[in-house]
Structure formats: C-alpha cells, structure tokens
Amino acid sequence: MMRPLITYMLKSYTSSQRYFAPVASIVISVLFLYTYKPNPVMSSYAATAIILFIGCAWMGLSFLNHEQAVQRQVILVHLQSTVKYGLGGILTLALFTLVLALLVVVYPVVTGSFVEPAGLYHMTLAFAGHMLLGMLGISIALYLQTSWVPKSSYAIGILLIILIVSVGGKKLEELIPGPAVCVLLPPAAPMMNALMNADELSFMSLLGSFAHVLVYILLLCGFYLYRSGRMDYAKNL
C-alpha cells in the first residue's frame, strides 16, 4: 500500500510543478557558493547543509499544500487511515531530500571545488548532516500546512521565524542561559557547528550532535502522525 501511495504523491507533486521554486533555489544557491574555487571542505558542507535545511522546509510546505481538498479526501477515503497518508507524505519528502542531499554532497567533489580531497569520512559526515537538516526542515513544515494553519501568510511568517531562530540558535543560547533554547529550538545551529568543526570534535561529540537532530525529527514526525490520526480532515481541509 505504501509504495503505490508514494508513487502517486511523487507524480502528483511533480506534475503540479510546485517543486520547481524550492528546488531551483537550492540548486542556484549551491552553484553560487561554489562559483569561486577552491573552498574549505567542511565549512562549505556546513553552509550547503543550512541551504538544504531552508530549501527543504520550503519544499515540504509546497508539497503538503499542493493537493486539492477533494483530491486529498478521495485518497483518505481509499486509504481509510490518515496516519498512512501522513507517513506516505513524509517518506515521499524523504526521497526528495535523499536525492538533493546526494547531489549537494557529490557536486563539489566532482567539480573539484575543494581545496583538498574530501575523503570518504568527510563525505559520509556531510551526507548524514545534509540528510538530517533536510528532514528537520520538512518536520517543521508538517505543522504549517493549510490543514493545520489555514492562512498561508501566517504559515510562511511562522516558518521564516522558526528558520531564522534555528540558524541563529548559538547566539540565542548565549543570550538566554539554561537548557530551554537547546531543547526547544530545532537544532540546526548545533549541526552546522558540528559539521564546521568535524576535524576538531571527538567522534562521540559528533555522534551526539547527529543523535540530537535525529531525536528531534522523530519527535516532530511522531507527534504529527499521532495528531493526524485524531484530526477530522473533513473539517480541516
């Protein structure tokens, strides 16, 4: 059941062409970053991971809002499960993120944009970081689709605020002592810091940073699926 649903969602989203703006913004930003050569390896990967974080949040919002209400209701009636529908959307977006993360990590290596060979270790770290930050952006977008936030202007404004404070999380941690900022804010800034300082940090420290983002994503997606199973979409679409 999940494979036909993902195939349908891929065809529906690509035929709507709403993917073009967020994907094009990611591609153009990455091409612009690597216009001048050579570039430091991990600092460049940290920058493109943040680009993917923002671009995937935008792509997630456009994907979750691309269907007509009637079209979504027909699919929900056929599935008889809002949880399956929500999970199918998350997995479809994960596929898009996987492709984008691979392209963004491999592109500078193929084009010789780095000052030194990236190496398998750095590329593996970079791919994991890009994948996690991409999915983090999508996890945030789940809560801002029209069935959750009816006014698109509010949703876009909230998304921009969350993205800005997430990227500037390190500064907020300095201004607001205590664990609240670290726990509540999406951990985009700690992941960017881990990628930038990957050569200086211990493996366990890197693993902790990656695990932090992964747990945050799982909590957001898990709560989204839980709430989706209890929403009356006939009233919210």
Side-chain angles (χ1 to χ4, degrees), residues 19-178:
Y19 69 92
F20 182 77
V23 172
S25 69
I26 294 171
V27 172
I28 291 171
S29 299
V30 172
L31 291 177
F32 181 76
L33 180 71
Y34 290 117
T35 299
Y36 299 100
K37 304 176 183 178
N39 298 276
V41 178
M42 294 312 291
S43 296
S44 300
Y45 275 145
T48 53
I50 289 298
I51 290 172
L52 201 64
F53 169 59
I54 297 169
C56 282
W58 183 5
M59 182 177 70
L61 200 59
S62 71
F63 172 86
L64 295 162
N65 292 334
H66 85 277
E67 285 180 310
Q68 298 293 325
V70 175
Q71 185 181 358
R72 180 178 291 194
Q73 283 179 333
V74 170
I75 299 300
L76 285 171
V77 169
H78 181 70
L79 290 173
Q80 296 184 337
S81 171
T82 53
V83 174
K84 284 182 183 177
Y85 180 82
L87 183 60
I90 292 171
L91 292 176
T92 306
L93 285 167
L95 280 177
F96 276 106
T97 306
L98 176 67
V99 173
L100 288 170
L102 276 173
L103 291 175
V104 171
V105 170
V106 170
Y107 173 76
V109 177
V110 174
T111 56
S113 300
F114 289 142
V115 68
E116 59 184 348
L120 183 61
Y121 175 68
H122 285 157
M123 289 182 69
T124 303
L125 285 180
F127 175 72
H130 282 71
M131 194 68 202
L132 286 170
L133 280 188
M135 287 306 298
L136 181 64
I138 284 167
S139 302
I140 295 167
L142 292 174
Y143 293 87
L144 299 172
Q145 57 185 292
T146 51
S147 55
W148 291 64
V149 181
K151 283 196 173 183
S152 60
S153 57
Y154 288 178
I156 293 171
I158 294 170
L159 181 63
L160 286 174
I161 291 171
I162 293 175
L163 294 178
I164 290 170
V165 297
S166 300
V167 175
K170 281 293 178 186
K171 289 293 181 185
L172 286 176
E173 285 182 28
E174 294 172 5
L175 295 172
I176 306 174

Side-chain angles (χ1 to χ4, degrees), residues 1-10 88 91-92 95:
M1 179 61 75
M2 198 54 70
R3 184 180 294 180
L5 177 61
I6 292 172
T7 303
Y8 154 75
M9 288 182 167
L10 284 171
L91 292 176
T92 306
L95 280 177

